[in-house]
């Protein structure tokens, strides 16, 4: 069995990590916004843009999407800044973004029962810079850059299954990831994380956990 995890909600506390970077930027410039406010504004636009990517018109990298989302955020908030330089600063800080506390020990426990990977809407270099990357098998880290699609497009999940095999389980936290994986027909476990709810208009997962270590018993149940 191969288990993939979403990188920036299931494994990484991205709001905490990203907000810290934006807080430093805001403090340096005297902006009247907290780091969390800036992160939330950018993150919302970033996720919306990922849903609208038209892959038939040529590939758009995660960095490009994030850059345009940040530029739109600055415009909406009436801020003047170099969005290109700032998105570089945000992405360069990803290596300091914290994992959820249950992740290191939990992944070690699950690794005794399954092979571990990542399925994420990012570029390869960004995935490799995270604290989660060394905790899984590098060959099982699949990104939008490799698969040519962004969540929640069913294509990203189906292409991951084509590469990894039918014995694939995906662990997701965000509403779009849970719904996308389920609608693509991928066995999905929801891990409950702060700030993430289920999509009320989407399918409900059969299995939910509150810590990565709980996945051991969940996988045993799914095998039966």
């Amino acid at each position: 069995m191969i288990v993939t995890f979403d990188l920036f909600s299931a494994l990484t506390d991205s709001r905490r990590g990203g907000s810290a970077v934006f807080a430093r930027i805001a403090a340096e410039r005297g902006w009247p916004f907290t780091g969390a406010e800036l992160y939330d504004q950018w993150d919302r636009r970033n996720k919306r843009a990922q849903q609208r990517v038209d892959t038939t018109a040529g590939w758009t990298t995660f960095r490009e999407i994030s850059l345009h989302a940040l530029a739109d955020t600055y415009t909406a908030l009436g801020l003047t800044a170099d969005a290109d330089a700032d998105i570089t600063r945000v992405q360069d800080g990803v290596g300091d973004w914290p994992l959820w506390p249950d992740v290191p020990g939990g992944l070690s426990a699950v690794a005794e029962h399954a092979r571990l990977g990542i399925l994420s809407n990012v570029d390869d270099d960004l995935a490799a810079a995270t604290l989660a990357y060394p905790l899984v098998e590098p060959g099982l880290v699949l990104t939008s850059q490799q698969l040519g699609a962004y969540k929640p497009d069913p294509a990203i999940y189906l292409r991951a299954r084509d590469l990894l095999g039918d014995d694939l389980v995906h662990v997701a936290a965000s509403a779009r990831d849970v719904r996308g994986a389920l609608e693509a027909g991928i066995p999905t476990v929801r891990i409950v994380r702060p700030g993430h709810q289920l999509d009320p208009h989407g399918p409900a997962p059969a299995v939910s956990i509150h810590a990565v270590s709980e996945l051991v018993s969940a996988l045993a149940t799914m095998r039966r």
Side-chain angles (χ1 to χ4, degrees), residues 3-209:
V3 180
T4 56
F5 294 81
D6 181 64
L7 178 58
F8 283 134
S9 56
L11 298 180
T12 305
D13 187 351
S14 55
R15 186 173 188 266
R16 180 181 166 196
S19 294
V21 180
F22 280 114
R24 290 191 290 271
I25 292 173
E28 290 167 7
R29 298 170 187 171
W31 289 348
F33 298 101
T34 67
E37 289 170 335
L38 290 171
Y39 175 85
D40 288 344
Q41 290 278 344
W42 166 68
D43 185 58
R44 183 168 62 251
R45 291 176 173 84
N46 200 11
K47 287 185 170 64
R48 188 183 305 134
Q50 292 164 36
Q51 293 179 322
R52 297 174 177 172
V53 170
D54 180 7
T55 56
T56 63
W59 184 244
T60 304
T61 67
F62 182 77
R63 188 189 187 283
E64 291 175 293
I65 294 171
S66 299
L67 167 60
H68 292 310
L70 186 58
D72 290 346
T73 297
Y74 285 167
T75 297
L77 298 178
L79 300 173
T80 301
D82 184 347
D84 190 278
D86 286 353
I87 203 62
T88 296
R89 185 170 174 181
V90 171
Q91 292 198 342
D92 283 350
V94 159
D96 295 322
W97 291 16
L99 301 174
W100 294 105
D102 61 287
V103 167
L107 289 181
S108 294
V110 178
E112 296 181 8
H113 304 272
R115 299 175 67 192
L116 307 183
I118 287 171
L119 179 59
S120 177
N121 272 13
V122 296
D123 301 325
D124 291 345
D125 58 347
L126 194 65
T130 65
L131 294 174
Y133 185 84
L135 303 181
V136 301
E137 294 185 39
L140 301 182
V141 176
L142 301 182
T143 67
S144 289
Q145 181 179 2
Q146 297 172 41
L147 300 176
Y150 286 98
K151 301 172 186 177
D153 186 338
I156 191 171
Y157 304 100
L158 297 176
R159 291 170 188 171
R161 186 177 64 187
D162 288 343
L163 288 172
L164 302 181
D166 291 336
D167 200 19
L168 171 66
V169 174
H170 184 54
V171 180
S174 69
R176 64 173 183 165
D177 198 15
V178 172
R179 178 171 180 170
L182 286 172
E183 290 185 339
I186 303 299
T188 304
V189 175
R190 179 200 178 202
I191 186 165
V192 180
R193 295 300 192 195
H196 293 285
Q197 307 296 327
L198 288 175
D199 186 334
H201 305 293
V207 181
S208 291
I209 59 176

